[in-house]
Amino acid sequence: MTSRKGKLKVGIVGCGAIGTGMARGIKKDFGKHCQVTGLFDIAFDKVEHLAKELKLRAVQKKSIPQLIKSCDCMIEAVSAQSTNEIIQKALHAKKDVLAMSVGKLLNAKNLFRLAAKQRCHLLLPSGAIAGLDAIKAASLAGIDSLTLTTRKPLSGFQNDSYLKEQGIDINSVHTETVIFQGSVIEAVKNFPRNINVAATLALASGCQDHMIVRIITSPEYRSNSHEIIAKGNFGEIRTQTENTICPENPKTSYLAVLSGLQMLKQYSMGIFVGT
Ligand SMILES: NC(=O)c1ccc[n+]([C@@H]2O[C@H](COP(=O)([O-])OP(=O)(O)OC[C@H]3O[C@@H](n4cnc5c(N)ncnc54)[C@H](O)[C@@H]3O)[C@@H](O)[C@H]2O)c1
C-alpha cells in the first residue's frame, strides 16, 4: 500500500466496456483526485484509441509491468484467463488493486493472503447488484438463506459454451426459460463472463456453501436484472436492480462501471459511506 501525496495514480488493465467506461469517468469527474497514468490491453488499438480520445499523452501503455510501476492503484478489467496472475503482479509490487473480474476471485485465497501480507487494499466493487451494504452487516449475525436470480436478454448468452454443452440453442428460446439453477461455484464456472455478481454476493455474505443462483433468459427481456432475497435472524432483505446494458458489451451492465467508479472515488478520497 502506497502512502500518497497528490492525486491517486491509476493504471487500467483491460480497455473494454468497463476499463473504457472507468477511464472516461475518471477523466470527466475525478480529475481533482485521480489521474490515469497507465492503460494496457492486448488489443493495442483499443489503448491507442482511448489514450487519444482522453488526451492521455504521457500515459504508460507498453506493458503491464510498466503500467504497475506508474500507478498507486491498478484497475483490473480484463476478460483473461490470466486475471489472477495480473493481480498477483500488482500486489507483489505493493500496489492496491480494484478488481472487476470477481468471478475469478471466488476461491483465490492466495490473492487475499498476498494482499494482507503486502498490506495492500484489494477492492471488489458491488457491480450491478444492490444491497451488499445490508448483506455485509447481516452476515455478522449469519444468513440462513440467500438466493440470487439473474435475468438477462438472449444477447447476453450468444455463443455460450455451457449452453451449447447442455444442448440449448439460445436462438430457439421463445419463452421465459431458467437456463441454470445451482451453487455459486457452478454458476461462476459455467457462466464466467455473466455472473461476477454471484461471486461478489458470495464473498460479501459468507454464504458460498448454501446460496442459490438462478439464471433466466427470455426474448422479452431488454435489460439485465438481479434480484436478491436474504433471510436470517436479522430479518429479511429483498433488492432488485434493472440495469441498462453497456453498448460495448451486452454481458456487462452500466451500473457495474458506475460501481467501480464510485468505489474508486471513495478510496481516492479516503471517505467510505455505507457499511
Ligand atoms: N464485477 C462485476 O459486476 C462485473 C460486471 C461485468 C463484467 N465484469 C468482469 O469484468 C471484466 C471486464 O469486463 P468488460 O465488460 O469490460 O469486458 P470486455 O470484453 O468489454 O473487455 C475486456 C478487455 O480485456 C482485454 N484483455 C483480454 N485479455 C487481456 C490480457 N491478458 N491483458 C490485457 N487485456 C486483456 C480484451 O482485449 C478486452 O478489451 C470481465 O472479466 C467481466 O467478466 C465484472
Side-chain angles (χ1 to χ4, degrees):
M1 185 170 41
T2 51
S3 62
R4 175 165 54 92
K5 284 189 192 134
K7 291 184 189 182
L8 177 77
K9 295 183 200 133
V10 178
I12 302 176
V13 186
C15 299
I18 293 184
T20 295
M22 288 192 69
R24 285 182 182 141
I26 292 167
K27 180 83 181 182
K28 182 168 161 273
D29 299 320
F30 307 164
K32 252 190 191 172
H33 304 286
C34 299
Q35 176 190 1
V36 177
T37 55
L39 287 176
F40 184 76
D41 197 297
I42 44 168
F44 195 63
D45 56 319
K46 289 189 183 180
V47 178
E48 287 294 0
H49 191 265
L50 192 56
K52 196 169 168 200
E53 175 196 322
L54 300 180
K55 300 187 174 59
L56 298 170
R57 286 182 196 92
V59 78
Q60 298 292 339
K61 50 193 183 187
K62 287 216 171 76
S63 69
I64 291 180
Q66 206 189 43
L67 173 142
I68 290 172
K69 211 170 166 191
S70 79
C71 70
D72 304 312
C73 177
M74 183 189 83
I75 296 177
E76 175 282 321
V78 294
S79 51
Q81 285 309 318
S82 54
T83 300
N84 288 19
E85 285 106 270
I86 295 171
I87 295 174
Q88 214 167 35
K89 278 186 189 145
L91 293 175
H92 273 303
K94 289 195 183 290
K95 301 299 168 97
D96 295 335
V97 175
L98 185 153
M100 293 305 302
S101 303
V102 187
K104 301 242 172 60
L105 304 186
L106 187 58
N107 284 315
K109 293 205 176 78
N110 59 327
L111 286 185
F112 298 141
R113 275 196 295 267
L114 181 61
K117 183 174 161 230
Q118 299 290 81
R119 301 179 66 79
C120 292
H121 291 297
L122 184 51
L123 307 166
L124 309 179
S126 304
I129 48 174
L132 282 198
D133 48 353
I135 293 279
K136 283 191 288 178
S139 72
L140 297 177
I143 298 173
D144 297 333
S145 71
L146 180 62
T147 309
L148 169 72
T149 304
T150 289
R151 293 181 175 82
K152 291 200 173 192
L154 300 179
S155 58
F157 301 102
Q158 291 298 334
N159 305 316
D160 187 283
S161 45
Y162 171 76
L163 295 184
K164 276 191 193 149
E165 272 166 40
Q166 299 298 307
I168 300 173
D169 174 6
I170 206 69
N171 299 313
S172 306
V173 171
H174 297 301
T175 54
E176 192 170 66
T177 305
V178 177
I179 55 173
F180 175 84
Q181 175 156 327
S183 71
V184 62
I185 304 245
E186 288 295 308
V188 165
K189 188 174 120 207
N190 295 322
F191 297 93
R193 303 273 337 266
N194 261 302
I195 200 82
N196 287 280
V197 288
T200 313
L201 183 58
L203 289 167
S205 65
C207 293
Q208 181 166 330
D209 294 337
H210 64 279
M211 78 178 254
I212 294 169
V213 180
R214 193 178 299 130
I215 305 176
I216 308 177
T217 189
S218 163
E220 307 281 308
Y221 294 169
R222 293 288 170 266
S223 63
N224 297 337
S225 84
H226 302 288
E227 184 186 346
I228 295 169
I229 302 178
K231 294 179 186 167
N233 67 5
F234 59 89
E236 189 168 321
I237 299 165
R238 286 172 180 266
T239 72
Q240 178 146 11
T241 51
E242 293 285 343
N243 298 304
T244 307
I245 292 170
C246 274
E248 296 88 353
N249 184 349
K251 293 186 174 72
T252 295
S253 301
Y254 179 43
L255 192 62
V257 178
L258 296 175
S259 139
L261 274 171
Q262 179 57 244
M263 182 163 261
L264 185 72
K265 182 180 178 188
Q266 296 187 64
Y267 161 79
S268 68
M269 294 172 76
I271 299 167
F272 297 85
V273 181
T275 57

